[in-house]
Amino acid sequence: MDDCIFCKIIKGEIPATKVYEDEEILIFKDIAPIAKIHLLCVPKEHFAYLRELNPSREALLGRTLKKIADLSEKLGLSDGYRLIVNQGESAGQTVKHLHIHILGGETLPWGV
Ligand code: AMP
Ligand code: ZN
């Protein structure tokens, strides 16, 4: 997707503070953090919505969640973390490339 900001980050066309990368995912720091640690995990394949999942993307998402869990200590999240996937306008999804917010580094308040 030529106009997708996260695809541009994945391709290295715009800068980001990368904290983990492999052949299928990238994790980088959110530019406007809402918690002491606020990372974004994106699949390198561009798609926007969970409704676009297919068997291959389902498997990718499963591996991605396992990878986040495996990396949690290294990412400074050993006390716990929260994953958020905003879907659609009313949820506040501003970037139409599926991304998992990873929040932690402090005690997180619960709310909408
Ligand atoms: P969402 O509202 O779920 O679509 O989340 C998009 C997130 O991307 C927001 O938390 C933004 O702060 C973050 N964001 C937007 N542009 C960048 C960027 N260039 N680098 C890092 N994070 C970004
Ligand atoms: Zn994209």
Side-chain angles (χ1 to χ4, degrees):
M1 288 287 284
D2 293 343
D3 61 346
C4 172
I5 193 166
F6 288 173
C7 281
K8 286 180 180 165
I9 288 174
I10 290 162
K11 285 188 267 179
E13 293 173 1
I14 61 171
T17 306
K18 299 179 180 182
V19 300
Y20 174 81
E21 182 167 19
D22 64 25
E23 60 284 350
E24 54 188 9
I25 63 166
L26 174 67
I27 303 177
F28 56 98
K29 290 189 179 178
D30 195 293
I31 203 169
I34 62 162
K36 196 166 172 195
I37 297 174
H38 186 174
L39 306 171
L40 297 171
C41 178
V42 295
K44 289 190 170 178
E45 181 194 2
H46 178 96
F47 62 101
Y49 302 108
L50 292 169
R51 66 170 180 262
E52 298 174 80
L53 287 179
N54 56 31
S56 152
R57 290 170 178 171
E58 287 170 19
L60 165 64
L61 207 52
R63 289 193 297 276
T64 300
L65 293 174
K66 177 69 162 62
K67 179 61 73 175
I68 291 169
D70 289 346
L71 287 171
S72 59
E73 199 169 336
K74 188 167 167 272
L75 297 174
L77 300 165
S78 39
D79 286 344
Y81 55 92
R82 182 174 297 155
L83 305 181
I84 297 174
V85 181
N86 290 326
Q87 290 286 279
E89 299 299 327
S90 55
Q93 184 182 8
T94 56
V95 180
K96 306 301 189 276
H97 181 130
L98 192 92
H99 50 282
I100 302 170
H101 293 263
I102 305 171
L103 303 173
E106 61 181 311
T107 300
L108 300 168
W110 183 243
V112 288

